[in-house]
Amino acid sequence: MKESEKGVEGTDPLDLPYPEPPRSLSYASDEVLSLGRPRGWMYKAPRIGGLRLPWYASPPTQLVLVALVCFLCPGMFNALSGLGGAGFSNPNDNNNAITALYSTFAVVGFFAGTFANRLGIRLALGIGGMGYCVYAGALLCYKEKQNAVFLIFSGAFLGICAGLLWCAQGAIMMAYPPEHSKGKYISWFWMIFNLGAVLGSLIPLAANINSTTNSVNAGTYIGFIALMVAGAILAFFLVDSKLVQRSDGSHVILMKHPTWHSEIFGLWEVLRSDPYIIALFPMFFCSNWFYTYQFNDVNLAKHDSRTRALNNFVYWCCQIIGAFVFGYALDMQRVRRSIRARVALVVLLLLTGGVWAGGYLFQRQYTRLDAKTDGFVKLDYEHGHSWGSMCLMMAYGFYDAAWQTCVYWFMGALTNNGRKTAHFAGFYKGIQSAGAAVIYRLDTLGTPYMALFFSCWFLLGGSLIVAAPVIVWKVKDSVNLEDDLVFTDMNEIDVVGNGVVGGAMEKRVDGVYD
């Protein structure tokens, strides 16, 4: 290596953590803005008054765009799911559609890293968004014509599309940010994404505020269709990953020249080079397992339509709070990253015990047989009997955000390689969907509520124990650039670019470039 390519005091940059801009600099700083960005509109940072915003091809802007796509597509899907049975009084046909969805999602999702890396992030997200539009249209068709075949087909089609969307999303969220900001990026995404479910839950709440029936009206589905179409279109406004440039001048690590051959074999290369990721598979499997129980067997089974809509609203609001709390806590720079990972593991164990203990006390009040009897009275917020269950739904929402944020952060702490994070995200969403397909089927078969409850509690607690060795021993304070480049055809100059200030990397006293 030439002497000009050496870092501070002749140190090889490959032996150092990633260079990042000093904390004293920001997007409003002219010094940062001069770090070798190409000319063109997407690299010009707009100014609003005295505030300079990130340029279009920057990680923050691209993350916000992805979050808005998920706000309008999966976010609205979550709002529908939160109603229990997608708003129908009898959830069986929709359960079959969701089973089909997660069955195809499990297969496509597991291999989606191959497709996302080859097709590109923008196209993968755009195709993914279209599936949500078709599913919402099928719900409207079922509402009017009871066409169960189309509904089930739309679920299977959505599974294919969602596998691509969530793989692309995960790769962006874990690979675009610098190491010291991954928790914040995850929290920003999760807050914006779940804001979609919050606002989406207001549609059925407003449409059914005066209704005490067990199903929602057709206007609810029309509103969701319009929003999902907008989300699918927005996906095509993203830029290619190779054009994204961070504030320090560095670029995302990926394959410069991906081929179908390289990406198909790349899946197996990840499993061979990082076999420890298998220990996280149980966490992936149960990360959506509890949704079916919470939405169908608590919210739908025990509440009328307007109270379900209100519970849905507070559930997703608490998701936003949970993502904010955990995302920023995971990025506390005063504590070493390896220590933060261990603390997060302990906190998740404590939350799993506490939140689900409260769920057990609530579930003891009724059974599936009780809910099927003609005299079973569902809770209504106007009568004041639903406040306890509403608090439980809030706790469930906070817990879900904590779980998802931590899982993404754990994976992002293992690598900064965009190609590898795409495969990690594919494993996560594929295995997650396999679990969701299983429990939706169990719910459709009439498995007792208490049995489903205990399956959630035990799977969550057990998966944390299985994942503990990876979290404790594999999450390091930083990942060397040399390790991340092994899985690509890039070199250190391709990645670091002009990641220098004043001709040299600025080093903090604690040894981390920031």
Side-chain angles (χ1 to χ4, degrees):
M1 179 175 287
K2 296 179 181 179
E3 196 66 32
S4 61
E5 294 175 2
K6 299 287 185 178
V8 177
E9 299 177 353
T11 304
D12 191 328
L14 290 178
D15 297 327
L16 298 171
Y18 285 96
E20 292 159 3
R23 286 188 180 282
S24 60
L25 301 181
S26 67
Y27 283 106
S29 168
D30 291 335
E31 191 169 8
V32 169
L33 294 175
S34 65
L35 288 179
R37 290 203 308 274
R39 295 185 179 278
W41 66 270
M42 68 174 63
Y43 299 102
K44 293 181 179 179
R47 186 187 295 274
I48 300 179
L51 177 66
R52 189 183 292 276
L53 300 177
W55 50 96
Y56 191 77
S58 68
T61 302
Q62 294 300 297
L63 180 87
V64 169
L65 282 175
V66 172
L68 289 174
V69 172
C70 292
F71 169 103
L72 293 166
C73 294
M76 297 302 127
F77 173 85
N78 282 347
L80 279 170
S81 299
L83 294 172
F88 301 122
S89 57
N90 185 344
N92 285 342
D93 286 333
N94 186 66
N95 277 2
N96 289 330
I98 298 300
T99 301
L101 186 164
Y102 284 119
S103 297
T104 55
F105 195 165
V107 176
V108 174
F110 192 86
F111 298 97
T114 296
F115 295 97
N117 285 334
R118 182 63 184 88
L119 297 175
I121 297 297
R122 177 171 52 189
L123 185 56
L125 277 167
I127 294 173
M130 295 175 186
Y132 289 91
C133 307
V134 173
Y135 173 73
L139 289 176
L140 177 61
C141 180
Y142 183 83
K143 172 71 177 178
E144 300 297 324
K145 304 293 184 180
Q146 287 73 53
N147 190 337
V149 175
F150 182 42
L151 180 60
I152 294 171
F153 165 79
S154 72
F157 179 70
L158 175 56
I160 297 171
C161 296
L164 295 174
L165 181 143
W166 280 106
C167 176
Q169 171 272 334
I172 289 174
M173 196 167 63
M174 292 186 282
Y176 280 24
E179 282 192 327
H180 71 281
S181 298
K182 290 194 176 187
K184 291 191 284 287
Y185 273 60
I186 293 168
S187 70
W188 296 343
F189 168 82
W190 211 254
M191 287 188 288
I192 296 171
F193 161 53
N194 283 313
L195 184 60
V198 169
L199 298 180
S201 66
L202 294 177
I203 296 174
L205 180 60
N208 300 278
I209 193 69
N210 296 316
S211 172
T212 57
T213 63
N214 291 320
S215 60
V216 299
N217 58 37
T220 299
Y221 300 108
I222 294 173
F224 281 117
I225 292 170
L227 292 171
M228 289 175 176
V229 169
I233 295 172
L234 182 62
F236 292 98
F237 285 84
L238 288 164
V239 302
D240 291 336
S241 297
K242 63 184 179 182
L243 300 177
V244 174
Q245 189 173 33
R246 300 188 183 97
S247 58
D248 62 356
S250 64
H251 301 272
V252 179
I253 301 176
L254 40 76
M255 285 289 284
K256 291 188 293 184
H257 306 291
T259 65
W260 285 113
H261 181 272
S262 70
E263 298 315 310
I264 290 172
F265 283 93
L267 175 74
W268 309 114
E269 290 173 20
V270 170
L271 290 173
R272 185 177 59 187
S273 64
D274 301 87
Y276 56 80
I277 194 68
I278 296 173
L280 298 183
F281 283 6
M283 285 190 76
F284 300 171
F285 184 80
C286 63
S287 58
N288 270 12
W289 182 275
F290 46 78
Y291 281 169
T292 303
Y293 169 75
Q294 291 171 353
F295 296 147
N296 284 2
D297 305 334
V298 175
N299 204 24
L300 172 62
K302 193 64 174 173
H303 306 87
D304 63 25
S305 61
R306 62 180 180 179
T307 307
R308 295 204 312 267
L310 182 59
N311 283 348
N312 198 21
F313 174 75
V314 298
Y315 180 94
W316 298 113
C317 283
C318 286
Q319 287 256 6
I320 294 175
I321 297 172
F324 176 82
V325 171
F326 273 79
Y328 276 79
L330 288 167
D331 274 350
M332 291 180 61
Q333 298 303 305
R334 298 175 184 174
V335 182
R336 290 165 46 200
R337 186 168 71 171
S338 57
I339 301 300
R340 280 177 266 147
R342 296 168 190 176
V343 172
L345 174 65
V346 173
V347 172
L348 283 180
L349 282 166
L350 294 175
L351 279 176
T352 301
V355 171
W356 289 89
Y360 172 69
L361 296 177
F362 181 78
Q363 187 54 66
R364 291 175 58 188
Q365 300 175 18
Y366 66 100
T367 67
R368 189 181 289 272
L369 291 177
D370 294 336
K372 290 182 177 179
T373 60
D374 294 336
F376 184 71
V377 178
K378 296 194 173 187
L379 298 177
D380 182 82
Y381 68 82
E382 194 171 80
H383 299 148
H385 300 303
S386 67
W387 301 114
S389 61
M390 186 180 299
C391 290
L392 177 62
M393 291 298 291
M394 292 168 68
Y396 280 152
F398 183 90
Y399 178 84
D400 179 37
W403 186 276
Q404 309 290 348
T405 301
C406 286
V407 171
Y408 274 116
W409 187 84
F410 292 149
M411 290 190 291
L414 297 172
T415 183
N416 301 297
N417 185 310
R419 186 181 178 214
K420 189 177 289 187
T421 57
H423 287 296
F424 280 4
F427 296 157
Y428 178 43
K429 301 307 292 188
I431 295 169
Q432 177 189 78
S433 301
V438 172
I439 193 169
Y440 261 103
R441 185 57 182 163
L442 291 174
D443 190 50
T444 303
L445 293 174
T447 304
Y449 290 157
M450 189 61 81
L452 294 179
F453 168 82
F454 277 119
S455 73
C456 296
W457 200 358
F458 291 161
L459 281 172
L460 290 165
S463 68
L464 287 172
I465 295 172
V466 174
V470 173
I471 296 170
V472 171
W473 289 310
K474 284 294 183 180
V475 175
K476 306 298 183 182
D477 295 330
S478 182
V479 180
N480 287 330
L481 179 56
E482 184 177 26
D483 295 334
D484 278 333
L485 289 174
V486 171
F487 197 58
T488 71
D489 56 359
M490 298 180 75
N491 58 48
E492 67 272 18
I493 302 303
D494 294 326
V495 177
V496 174
N498 294 316
V500 296
V501 178
M505 300 176 187
E506 301 265 344
K507 188 175 182 180
R508 295 209 330 253
V509 293
D510 60 2
V512 178
Y513 289 84
D514 205 332

